[in-house]
């Protein structure tokens, strides 16, 4: 099985697709968890729901950041169209990683199921 080269145009949409899947999983999972087993309001932000959401956010951010770094390294070695695709993909992966952090940071301090 061959892997998808970091200069392939599909990388232009993978970052935002991963972010959107993470977003749906986070809010869908939060909704289901709050409907099935809401934590006591006295627990604050340190709940099992927030820990799982935080870990998923950290893993997604790490993956997107690594893909951004890998595409940037590839862009330094290429010329022409492959360089353009790798550089733009790196930017989109980085944007997706920052968006993941921006949306996921409230997990640290906001109690779930408000």
């Amino acid at each position: 099985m061959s892997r998808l080269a970091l200069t392939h145009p599909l990388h232009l949409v993978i970052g935002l697709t991963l972010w959107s899947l993470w977003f749906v999983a986070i809010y869908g999972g939060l909704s289901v968890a709050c409907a099935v087993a809401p934590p006591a309001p006295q627990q604050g932000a340190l709940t099992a729901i927030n820990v799982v959401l935080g870990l998923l956010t950290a893993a997604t951010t790490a993956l997107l950041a690594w893909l951004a770094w890998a595409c940037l390294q590839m862009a330094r070695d290429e010329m022409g169209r492959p360089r353009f695709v790798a550089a733009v993909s790196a930017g989109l992966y980085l944007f997706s990683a920052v968006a993941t952090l921006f949306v996921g940071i409230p997990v640290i301090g906001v109690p779930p199921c408000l």
Side-chain angles (χ1 to χ4, degrees), residues 22 26 47-61 104 107-108:
W22 167 83
I26 286 293
T47 63
I49 295 171
N50 276 8
V51 169
V52 170
L53 296 178
L55 290 173
L56 186 57
T57 299
T60 303
T61 302
V107 165
I108 295 171

Side-chain angles (χ1 to χ4, degrees), residues 3-89:
R3 49 184 198 156
L4 188 62
L6 293 173
T7 57
H8 193 281
L10 193 57
H11 283 282
L12 295 170
V13 296
I14 290 175
L16 293 172
T17 302
L18 288 175
W19 177 84
S20 65
L21 290 172
W22 167 83
F23 189 84
V24 168
I26 286 293
Y27 283 103
L30 179 64
S31 298
V32 169
C34 287
V36 172
Q42 300 85 354
Q43 277 188 290
L46 189 56
T47 63
I49 295 171
N50 276 8
V51 169
V52 170
L53 296 178
L55 290 173
L56 186 57
T57 299
T60 303
T61 302
L63 173 64
L64 290 167
W66 178 80
L67 285 167
W69 177 82
C71 283
L72 189 60
Q73 296 302 314
M74 184 62 71
R76 291 181 180 164
D77 297 338
E78 296 293 330
M79 297 299 287
R81 178 186 270 168
R83 181 180 189 151
F84 173 78
V85 170
V88 173
S89 296

